[in-house]
């Protein structure tokens, strides 16, 4: 039986419909779609792919006892992500950063996925078009879910911000309570809370990362205006789109790409900055299991409550960025 080897979860035996889905073109395409958009262009450590994350979310659902159908939903939840992930949302000014969700049904319907699932005796619409039924995979903020937990642990581990021992210690105490992911003790919930805001504020809101995404957004907007790119091009992989930009022979695009690939940025202030960027509000307040049931960590820990309030303020404020001369 084939075995997947994941950085976080270790070895995972795979066969049947899950193996066929993983080997399919829609899932394999995700190996060339990077989670952080332009992040890998400005820091080579920021290189997690949508494939890594999708397989990881599937493994985490499996670890917590999720059904085959929920594992399938986890594996396929990002197949409609476009090149550079959420950058297309910035280009199209989608504040909820949900363009991939808007096109999900169409992308899946036109792919090999319905046929694969039908051959396994499964209906793709029943599994993939009602996300609310999969309570381990997806939850609205501030709850934990496989999607949110995996990308947080994966990004921070790959970037060296947390250790594998810390990852495993946290995973070992994750439990399911009334169909929902929860922490079995307070200290684990507090640890994940700190980790999550390292992800949001230290990675998503890193001035270099935010400038990279800003610069790539401006490049794509210009390329669309000049018909160098079309929206359909974003159903390819990141490198395919970069190649189209490089081969366009447009001097303005070339200068902007050079600035992107040599990005240097630092935190500015409200009174001294070149770019001000904001991001979607992302926050967590994990449930903690106690003798009386489950309660959000913010109700059990004043420290956690303060961390959440401070993080929300930081996110609402956004990031003021000073762009340095890359040359």
């Amino acid at each position: 039986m084939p075995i997947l080897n994941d950085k976080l979860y270790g070895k995972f035996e795979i066969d049947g419909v899950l193996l066929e889905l993983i080997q399919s073109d829609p899932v394999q395409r995700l190996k060339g779609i990077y989670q952080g958009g332009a992040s890998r262009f400005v820091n080579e450590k920021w290189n997690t792919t949508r494939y890594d994350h999708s397989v990881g979310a599937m493994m985490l659902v499996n670890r917590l006892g999720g059904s085959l159908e929920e594992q399938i939903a986890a594996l396929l939840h990002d197949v409609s992500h476009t090149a550079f992930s959420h950058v297309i949302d910035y280009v199209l000014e989608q504040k909820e950063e949900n363009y991939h969700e808007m096109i999900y049904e169409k992308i899946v319907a036109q792919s090999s996925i319905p046929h694969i699932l039908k051959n396994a005796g499964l209906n793709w619409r029943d599994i993939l078009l009602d996300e609310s039924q999969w309570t381990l995979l997806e939850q609205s903020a501030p709850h934990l879910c496989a999607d949110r937990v995996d990308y947080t642990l994966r990004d921070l581990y790959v970037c060296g911000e947390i250790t594998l021992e810390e990852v495993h210690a946290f995973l070992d105490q994750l439990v399911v309570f009334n169909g929902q992911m929860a922490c079995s003790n307070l200290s684990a919930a507090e640890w994940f809370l700190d980790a999550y805001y390292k992800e949001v504020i230290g990675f998503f809101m890193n001035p270099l990362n935010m400038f990279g995404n800003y610069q790539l957004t401006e490049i794509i907007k210009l390329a669309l205006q000049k018909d160098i790119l079309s929206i359909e091009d974003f159903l390819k992989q990141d490198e395919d789109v970069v190649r189209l930009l490089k081969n366009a022979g447009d001097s303005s695009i070339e200068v902007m790409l050079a600035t992107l690939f040599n990005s240097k940025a630092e935190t500015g202030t409200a009174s001294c900055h070149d770019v001000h960027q904001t991001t979607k509000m992302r926050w967590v307040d994990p449930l903690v299991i106690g003798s009386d049931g489950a309660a959000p960590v913010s109700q059990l820990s004043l420290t956690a409550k303060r961390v959440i309030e401070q993080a929300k303020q930081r996110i609402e404020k956004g990031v003021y960025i000073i762009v340095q001369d890359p040359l």
Side-chain angles (χ1 to χ4, degrees):
M1 184 179 296
I3 294 177
L4 296 176
N5 208 343
D6 184 74
K7 293 177 180 178
L8 300 185
Y9 310 111
K11 294 181 179 180
F12 185 91
E13 292 186 346
I14 187 84
D15 65 357
V17 66
L18 288 176
L19 177 59
E20 192 170 356
L21 287 168
I22 284 175
Q23 293 175 335
S24 70
D25 289 342
V27 175
Q28 289 294 308
R29 170 183 166 271
L30 298 179
K31 290 180 176 179
I33 308 295
Y34 288 81
Q35 290 259 108
S39 60
R40 74 184 183 97
F41 299 133
V42 299
N43 187 326
E44 62 182 12
K45 290 183 179 180
W46 297 340
N47 61 4
T48 301
T49 67
R50 289 281 162 189
Y51 176 84
D52 300 330
H53 167 59
S54 296
V55 171
M58 176 195 72
M59 289 183 175
L60 183 51
V61 167
N62 173 273
R63 180 187 177 105
L64 292 170
S67 66
L68 172 63
E69 288 82 1
E70 188 159 10
Q71 291 175 59
I72 290 170
L75 176 64
L76 300 178
H77 79 282
D78 272 354
V79 291
S80 60
H81 257 295
T82 50
F84 314 122
S85 291
H86 286 294
V87 171
I88 196 68
D89 292 305
Y90 314 145
V91 171
L92 300 178
E93 299 181 2
Q94 295 283 345
K95 299 296 183 182
E96 293 301 311
E97 300 184 13
N98 62 349
Y99 181 73
H100 69 290
E101 296 173 6
M102 295 167 62
I103 64 173
Y104 185 79
E105 181 176 357
K106 178 182 177 182
I107 295 301
V108 173
Q110 294 176 347
S111 76
S112 59
I113 290 169
H115 179 70
I116 292 171
L117 292 178
K118 183 179 180 180
N119 284 345
L122 299 168
N123 185 299
W124 71 275
R125 292 181 181 276
D126 292 343
I127 296 174
L128 302 181
L129 298 188
D130 181 13
E131 191 177 82
S132 64
Q133 67 185 308
W134 307 127
T135 56
L136 294 179
L137 169 60
E138 293 289 357
Q139 289 283 333
S140 58
H143 302 297
L144 297 186
C145 62
D147 183 18
R148 198 166 285 126
V149 168
D150 182 83
Y151 73 63
T152 300
L153 298 180
R154 190 169 300 278
D155 283 345
L156 293 180
Y157 173 66
V158 168
C159 292
E161 294 292 331
I162 57 177
T163 66
L164 195 57
E165 291 73 22
E166 288 175 311
V167 170
H168 288 170
F170 175 73
L171 292 173
D172 285 345
Q173 62 70 55
L174 270 184
V175 295
V176 179
F177 180 82
N178 290 338
Q180 195 168 323
M181 197 178 296
C183 296
S184 64
N185 60 69
L186 179 62
S187 61
E190 290 178 322
W191 179 86
F192 186 79
L193 194 68
D194 286 336
Y196 188 75
Y197 291 120
K198 279 184 184 177
E199 168 82 347
V200 174
I201 296 172
F203 174 52
F204 292 161
M205 297 181 66
N206 181 291
L208 184 58
N209 193 20
M210 293 201 85
F211 174 69
N213 281 325
Y214 166 82
Q215 183 70 2
L216 182 56
T217 298
E218 295 303 302
I219 292 170
I220 291 171
K221 284 182 177 179
L222 181 59
L224 288 170
Q225 290 172 6
K226 293 188 172 187
D227 292 326
I228 292 170
L229 295 178
S230 68
I231 289 294
E232 288 70 28
D233 289 325
F234 292 89
L235 298 177
K236 302 173 183 177
Q237 294 180 318
D238 291 10
E239 283 303 319
D240 296 321
V241 180
V242 170
R243 193 175 302 112
L244 289 172
L245 291 169
K246 286 181 175 180
N247 293 340
D250 185 281
S251 59
S252 299
I253 297 290
E254 290 172 359
V255 170
M256 295 173 77
L257 283 172
T259 300
L260 169 63
F261 296 144
N262 297 281
S263 293
K264 294 182 180 180
E266 61 184 28
T267 303
T269 65
S271 60
C272 181
H273 66 275
D274 297 308
V275 177
H276 177 237
Q277 287 289 93
T278 57
T279 187
K280 176 182 174 181
M281 176 59 70
R282 292 179 170 90
W283 67 294
V284 292
D285 193 357
L287 289 178
V288 180
I289 304 300
S291 58
D292 298 325
V297 66
S298 62
Q299 294 182 14
L300 305 173
S301 166
L302 289 176
T303 299
K305 183 177 181 180
R306 185 165 57 249
V307 168
I308 292 171
E309 290 173 350
Q310 291 175 347
K312 282 185 173 181
Q313 291 172 5
R314 289 279 301 275
I315 296 168
E316 288 175 354
K317 179 182 177 182
V319 179
Y320 294 98
I321 303 167
I322 295 177
V323 182
Q324 301 174 0
D325 186 347
L327 303 178

